[in-house]
Amino acid sequence: MEIIFNRVHSKKDLAISSTILAAGIGLYFANAALGILIALCGMFMLLFYKDSCKRAGNETLLKRKVLELSAIHRDSMMDFLNGKASAPDMSSNSKGALIRMEIYYNTDASVAYAQLYDYINYCYVPASGIVELKGERAEKLIKIFKEAK
């Protein structure tokens, strides 16, 4: 079964968009043109600013992060995603060819979805499918992503 993610509003997105809309309405009384411009920005943010994701068929809000790693970490990450290793080896830090890893995660639910990409011919090509990680394995991957950035 294919895993599909949909972009959705979080409470933070709605609060920011509503605040900008309210600021534009308030500013309208001081400077009409600027107030209308800010209010329009707030309305467009209400429509298009969606920072969180949800997996189709699941109501858990997920955050999305992307990390670019050196290609020497590829085998370690692939083994971790396939369940062959208990934790990825991220000890060395070198320059060179890149791989990209996208992760959708929720720390409260201890769930993560990860996908690995190779950089070939100036574009990222999927090296693995989307892998669902739960519990301790998800927490290890989330910890690595939070330490990396």
Side-chain angles (χ1 to χ4, degrees), residues 19-62:
T19 302
I20 291 174
L21 179 63
I25 293 170
L27 189 59
Y28 175 78
F29 297 107
N31 185 340
L34 187 59
I36 290 172
L37 179 68
I38 300 292
L40 282 174
C41 290
M43 287 193 326
F44 282 123
M45 285 181 70
L46 275 173
L47 294 173
F48 300 114
Y49 182 54
K50 298 177 181 180
D51 195 35
S52 296
C53 298
K54 280 187 184 179
R55 179 182 174 184
N58 193 344
E59 293 300 315
T60 305
L61 281 178
L62 303 168

Short mmCIF file of all heavy atoms in Angstrom, two decimals, residues 19-62:
data_model
loop_
_atom_site.label_atom_id
_atom_site.label_comp_id
_atom_site.label_asym_id
_atom_site.label_seq_id
_atom_site.Cartn_x
_atom_site.Cartn_y
_atom_site.Cartn_z
N THR A 19 -3.57 36.31 12.85
CA THR A 19 -2.94 37.51 13.42
C THR A 19 -2.59 38.51 12.33
O THR A 19 -2.81 39.72 12.48
CB THR A 19 -1.68 37.12 14.21
OG1 THR A 19 -2.03 36.19 15.23
CG2 THR A 19 -1.02 38.34 14.83
N ILE A 20 -2.05 38.03 11.22
CA ILE A 20 -1.71 38.93 10.11
C ILE A 20 -2.97 39.52 9.49
O ILE A 20 -3.01 40.72 9.16
CB ILE A 20 -0.86 38.19 9.06
CG1 ILE A 20 0.51 37.89 9.67
CG2 ILE A 20 -0.71 39.00 7.78
CD1 ILE A 20 1.41 37.05 8.83
N LEU A 21 -4.01 38.73 9.36
CA LEU A 21 -5.28 39.24 8.84
C LEU A 21 -5.85 40.31 9.77
O LEU A 21 -6.27 41.38 9.31
CB LEU A 21 -6.28 38.09 8.68
CG LEU A 21 -7.67 38.46 8.16
CD1 LEU A 21 -7.58 39.04 6.75
CD2 LEU A 21 -8.57 37.24 8.17
N ALA A 22 -5.83 40.06 11.08
CA ALA A 22 -6.35 41.03 12.05
C ALA A 22 -5.49 42.30 12.05
O ALA A 22 -6.03 43.41 12.16
CB ALA A 22 -6.38 40.42 13.43
N ALA A 23 -4.17 42.15 11.90
CA ALA A 23 -3.30 43.33 11.84
C ALA A 23 -3.60 44.16 10.61
O ALA A 23 -3.61 45.40 10.66
CB ALA A 23 -1.84 42.90 11.84
N GLY A 24 -3.88 43.51 9.49
CA GLY A 24 -4.24 44.24 8.26
C GLY A 24 -5.54 44.99 8.42
O GLY A 24 -5.67 46.14 7.97
N ILE A 25 -6.52 44.35 9.06
CA ILE A 25 -7.81 45.02 9.29
C ILE A 25 -7.62 46.22 10.22
O ILE A 25 -8.18 47.30 9.98
CB ILE A 25 -8.84 44.03 9.84
CG1 ILE A 25 -9.17 42.98 8.76
CG2 ILE A 25 -10.09 44.73 10.32
CD1 ILE A 25 -9.99 41.81 9.26
N GLY A 26 -6.83 46.05 11.26
CA GLY A 26 -6.57 47.17 12.18
C GLY A 26 -5.79 48.29 11.52
O GLY A 26 -6.04 49.47 11.75
N LEU A 27 -4.85 47.93 10.68
CA LEU A 27 -4.02 48.92 9.99
C LEU A 27 -4.82 49.69 8.94
O LEU A 27 -4.44 50.80 8.57
CB LEU A 27 -2.81 48.22 9.36
CG LEU A 27 -1.71 49.09 8.78
CD1 LEU A 27 -1.12 50.00 9.86
CD2 LEU A 27 -0.61 48.22 8.20
N TYR A 28 -5.90 49.10 8.48
CA TYR A 28 -6.73 49.76 7.47
C TYR A 28 -7.19 51.14 7.93
O TYR A 28 -7.29 52.07 7.13
CB TYR A 28 -7.95 48.88 7.15
CG TYR A 28 -8.92 49.53 6.20
CD1 TYR A 28 -8.66 49.57 4.84
CD2 TYR A 28 -10.10 50.11 6.67
CE1 TYR A 28 -9.55 50.18 3.97
CE2 TYR A 28 -10.99 50.71 5.81
CZ TYR A 28 -10.72 50.73 4.46
OH TYR A 28 -11.59 51.34 3.60
N PHE A 29 -7.45 51.30 9.22
CA PHE A 29 -7.94 52.57 9.74
C PHE A 29 -6.85 53.63 9.82
O PHE A 29 -7.15 54.82 9.85
CB PHE A 29 -8.59 52.36 11.11
CG PHE A 29 -9.80 51.47 11.03
CD1 PHE A 29 -9.75 50.17 11.52
CD2 PHE A 29 -10.97 51.90 10.43
CE1 PHE A 29 -10.84 49.32 11.43
CE2 PHE A 29 -12.07 51.06 10.33
CZ PHE A 29 -12.01 49.78 10.84
N ALA A 30 -5.57 53.23 9.82
CA ALA A 30 -4.48 54.18 9.83
C ALA A 30 -4.00 54.48 8.41
O ALA A 30 -3.74 55.63 8.08
CB ALA A 30 -3.32 53.65 10.67
N ASN A 31 -3.88 53.44 7.59
CA ASN A 31 -3.42 53.59 6.21
C ASN A 31 -4.17 52.55 5.39
O ASN A 31 -3.85 51.35 5.45
CB ASN A 31 -1.91 53.39 6.13
CG ASN A 31 -1.35 53.65 4.75
OD1 ASN A 31 -2.07 53.63 3.76
ND2 ASN A 31 -0.04 53.87 4.71
N ALA A 32 -5.14 52.98 4.60
CA ALA A 32 -6.05 52.06 3.90
C ALA A 32 -5.31 51.13 2.94
O ALA A 32 -5.55 49.92 2.94
CB ALA A 32 -7.11 52.85 3.16
N ALA A 33 -4.41 51.66 2.13
CA ALA A 33 -3.73 50.83 1.13
C ALA A 33 -2.87 49.75 1.79
O ALA A 33 -2.90 48.58 1.41
CB ALA A 33 -2.88 51.69 0.21
N LEU A 34 -2.11 50.14 2.80
CA LEU A 34 -1.25 49.20 3.50
C LEU A 34 -2.09 48.17 4.27
O LEU A 34 -1.76 46.98 4.30
CB LEU A 34 -0.30 49.93 4.44
CG LEU A 34 0.77 49.10 5.11
CD1 LEU A 34 1.66 48.42 4.07
CD2 LEU A 34 1.61 49.96 6.04
N GLY A 35 -3.18 48.62 4.87
CA GLY A 35 -4.07 47.71 5.59
C GLY A 35 -4.68 46.65 4.69
O GLY A 35 -4.75 45.47 5.04
N ILE A 36 -5.10 47.08 3.49
CA ILE A 36 -5.68 46.13 2.53
C ILE A 36 -4.61 45.13 2.08
O ILE A 36 -4.87 43.92 1.99
CB ILE A 36 -6.29 46.88 1.33
CG1 ILE A 36 -7.54 47.63 1.78
CG2 ILE A 36 -6.61 45.92 0.20
CD1 ILE A 36 -8.11 48.56 0.73
N LEU A 37 -3.39 45.61 1.84
CA LEU A 37 -2.30 44.72 1.41
C LEU A 37 -1.99 43.67 2.48
O LEU A 37 -1.88 42.48 2.18
CB LEU A 37 -1.05 45.54 1.10
CG LEU A 37 0.17 44.72 0.67
CD1 LEU A 37 -0.07 44.08 -0.69
CD2 LEU A 37 1.41 45.58 0.66
N ILE A 38 -1.88 44.10 3.73
CA ILE A 38 -1.57 43.16 4.82
C ILE A 38 -2.73 42.20 5.03
O ILE A 38 -2.53 41.00 5.26
CB ILE A 38 -1.25 43.93 6.13
CG1 ILE A 38 -0.05 44.86 5.95
CG2 ILE A 38 -1.03 42.98 7.29
CD1 ILE A 38 1.27 44.17 5.73
N ALA A 39 -3.97 42.69 4.95
CA ALA A 39 -5.13 41.81 5.11
C ALA A 39 -5.20 40.77 3.99
O ALA A 39 -5.53 39.60 4.24
CB ALA A 39 -6.42 42.64 5.15
N LEU A 40 -4.87 41.17 2.77
CA LEU A 40 -4.84 40.21 1.66
C LEU A 40 -3.76 39.15 1.88
O LEU A 40 -3.99 37.96 1.59
CB LEU A 40 -4.60 40.93 0.33
CG LEU A 40 -5.81 41.64 -0.27
CD1 LEU A 40 -5.40 42.44 -1.50
CD2 LEU A 40 -6.89 40.64 -0.63
N CYS A 41 -2.61 39.57 2.39
CA CYS A 41 -1.55 38.60 2.71
C CYS A 41 -2.05 37.60 3.76
O CYS A 41 -1.80 36.40 3.65
CB CYS A 41 -0.31 39.31 3.21
SG CYS A 41 0.56 40.23 1.95
N GLY A 42 -2.75 38.09 4.76
CA GLY A 42 -3.31 37.21 5.79
C GLY A 42 -4.34 36.24 5.22
O GLY A 42 -4.36 35.06 5.60
N MET A 43 -5.18 36.72 4.29
CA MET A 43 -6.18 35.83 3.68
C MET A 43 -5.51 34.76 2.83
O MET A 43 -5.90 33.59 2.86
CB MET A 43 -7.18 36.63 2.85
CG MET A 43 -8.15 37.40 3.71
SD MET A 43 -9.59 38.10 2.89
CE MET A 43 -9.07 38.54 1.30
N PHE A 44 -4.48 35.16 2.07
CA PHE A 44 -3.78 34.16 1.26
C PHE A 44 -3.05 33.15 2.14
O PHE A 44 -2.96 31.97 1.81
CB PHE A 44 -2.80 34.83 0.29
CG PHE A 44 -3.47 35.40 -0.92
CD1 PHE A 44 -3.33 36.74 -1.25
CD2 PHE A 44 -4.26 34.60 -1.74
CE1 PHE A 44 -3.94 37.27 -2.36
CE2 PHE A 44 -4.88 35.13 -2.86
CZ PHE A 44 -4.73 36.45 -3.17
N MET A 45 -2.53 33.62 3.27
CA MET A 45 -1.89 32.69 4.19
C MET A 45 -2.90 31.71 4.76
O MET A 45 -2.59 30.52 4.95
CB MET A 45 -1.18 33.44 5.32
CG MET A 45 0.12 34.09 4.87
SD MET A 45 0.96 34.94 6.19
CE MET A 45 1.52 33.57 7.17
N LEU A 46 -4.11 32.18 5.07
CA LEU A 46 -5.16 31.27 5.55
C LEU A 46 -5.47 30.20 4.52
O LEU A 46 -5.78 29.06 4.86
CB LEU A 46 -6.43 32.04 5.90
CG LEU A 46 -6.49 32.66 7.28
CD1 LEU A 46 -7.73 33.54 7.42
CD2 LEU A 46 -6.49 31.60 8.36
N LEU A 47 -5.39 30.56 3.26
CA LEU A 47 -5.70 29.59 2.20
C LEU A 47 -4.54 28.64 1.89
O LEU A 47 -4.75 27.45 1.68
CB LEU A 47 -6.10 30.33 0.92
CG LEU A 47 -7.41 31.12 0.97
CD1 LEU A 47 -7.57 31.92 -0.32
CD2 LEU A 47 -8.58 30.18 1.16
N PHE A 48 -3.31 29.17 1.84
CA PHE A 48 -2.21 28.40 1.29
C PHE A 48 -1.12 27.98 2.26
O PHE A 48 -0.35 27.08 1.95
CB PHE A 48 -1.55 29.18 0.14
CG PHE A 48 -2.49 29.47 -0.98
CD1 PHE A 48 -2.86 30.78 -1.26
CD2 PHE A 48 -3.02 28.46 -1.74
CE1 PHE A 48 -3.73 31.06 -2.30
CE2 PHE A 48 -3.90 28.72 -2.78
CZ PHE A 48 -4.25 30.03 -3.06
N TYR A 49 -1.01 28.59 3.42
CA TYR A 49 0.08 28.28 4.36
C TYR A 49 -0.29 27.05 5.17
O TYR A 49 -1.06 27.12 6.13
CB TYR A 49 0.36 29.48 5.26
CG TYR A 49 1.50 29.28 6.23
CD1 TYR A 49 2.75 28.89 5.79
CD2 TYR A 49 1.32 29.48 7.58
CE1 TYR A 49 3.79 28.71 6.67
CE2 TYR A 49 2.35 29.31 8.48
CZ TYR A 49 3.59 28.92 8.02
OH TYR A 49 4.62 28.74 8.90
N LYS A 50 0.24 25.91 4.77
CA LYS A 50 -0.01 24.64 5.44
C LYS A 50 1.35 24.01 5.74
O LYS A 50 2.00 23.49 4.86
CB LYS A 50 -0.84 23.72 4.55
CG LYS A 50 -2.19 24.27 4.22
CD LYS A 50 -2.94 23.36 3.27
CE LYS A 50 -4.30 23.96 2.93
NZ LYS A 50 -5.04 23.09 2.02
N ASP A 51 1.74 24.06 7.00
CA ASP A 51 3.07 23.62 7.38
C ASP A 51 3.11 22.17 7.85
O ASP A 51 4.16 21.54 7.84
CB ASP A 51 3.61 24.54 8.48
CG ASP A 51 5.09 24.40 8.68
OD1 ASP A 51 5.80 24.16 7.69
OD2 ASP A 51 5.54 24.51 9.83
N SER A 52 2.00 21.62 8.26
CA SER A 52 1.97 20.24 8.78
C SER A 52 1.46 19.28 7.72
O SER A 52 0.93 19.69 6.69
CB SER A 52 1.07 20.17 10.01
OG SER A 52 1.61 20.95 11.04
N CYS A 53 1.62 18.01 7.99
CA CYS A 53 1.17 16.96 7.07
C CYS A 53 0.38 15.92 7.85
O CYS A 53 0.54 15.77 9.06
CB CYS A 53 2.36 16.27 6.41
SG CYS A 53 3.38 17.34 5.42
N LYS A 54 -0.47 15.22 7.14
CA LYS A 54 -1.19 14.07 7.69
C LYS A 54 -1.09 12.94 6.68
O LYS A 54 -1.17 13.16 5.47
CB LYS A 54 -2.67 14.38 7.90
CG LYS A 54 -2.98 15.15 9.14
CD LYS A 54 -4.49 15.24 9.35
CE LYS A 54 -4.81 16.10 10.55
NZ LYS A 54 -6.25 16.22 10.76
N ARG A 55 -0.92 11.75 7.20
CA ARG A 55 -0.96 10.58 6.33
C ARG A 55 -2.41 10.30 5.98
O ARG A 55 -3.29 10.41 6.83
CB ARG A 55 -0.35 9.37 7.05
CG ARG A 55 -0.37 8.13 6.21
CD ARG A 55 0.19 6.96 6.94
NE ARG A 55 0.01 5.77 6.13
CZ ARG A 55 0.32 4.56 6.51
NH1 ARG A 55 0.84 4.37 7.70
NH2 ARG A 55 0.12 3.55 5.71
N ALA A 56 -2.67 9.95 4.73
CA ALA A 56 -4.04 9.65 4.30
C ALA A 56 -4.58 8.50 5.14
O ALA A 56 -3.96 7.45 5.26
CB ALA A 56 -4.06 9.29 2.82
N GLY A 57 -5.73 8.73 5.78
CA GLY A 57 -6.35 7.72 6.62
C GLY A 57 -5.92 7.77 8.07
O GLY A 57 -6.34 6.94 8.87
N ASN A 58 -5.09 8.73 8.44
CA ASN A 58 -4.60 8.85 9.81
C ASN A 58 -4.70 10.32 10.22
O ASN A 58 -4.44 11.21 9.43
CB ASN A 58 -3.15 8.37 9.89
CG ASN A 58 -2.68 8.17 11.31
OD1 ASN A 58 -3.27 8.66 12.25
ND2 ASN A 58 -1.58 7.46 11.45
N GLU A 59 -5.08 10.58 11.46
CA GLU A 59 -5.29 11.95 11.91
C GLU A 59 -4.11 12.55 12.67
O GLU A 59 -4.21 13.65 13.18
CB GLU A 59 -6.55 12.01 12.80
CG GLU A 59 -7.83 11.73 12.04
CD GLU A 59 -8.08 12.73 10.92
OE1 GLU A 59 -7.91 13.94 11.13
OE2 GLU A 59 -8.43 12.28 9.82
N THR A 60 -2.98 11.86 12.76
CA THR A 60 -1.82 12.36 13.48
C THR A 60 -1.12 13.45 12.66
O THR A 60 -0.79 13.23 11.50
CB THR A 60 -0.83 11.21 13.75
OG1 THR A 60 -1.50 10.17 14.43
CG2 THR A 60 0.34 11.69 14.58
N LEU A 61 -0.92 14.62 13.27
CA LEU A 61 -0.19 15.71 12.60
C LEU A 61 1.30 15.39 12.59
O LEU A 61 1.88 15.00 13.60
CB LEU A 61 -0.40 17.03 13.33
CG LEU A 61 -1.69 17.77 13.07
CD1 LEU A 61 -1.75 19.04 13.90
CD2 LEU A 61 -1.86 18.10 11.62
N LEU A 62 1.92 15.56 11.44
CA LEU A 62 3.32 15.26 11.26
C LEU A 62 4.08 16.49 10.82
O LEU A 62 3.57 17.31 10.06
CB LEU A 62 3.50 14.16 10.20
CG LEU A 62 2.76 12.85 10.44
CD1 LEU A 62 2.78 12.00 9.19
CD2 LEU A 62 3.38 12.11 11.60
#
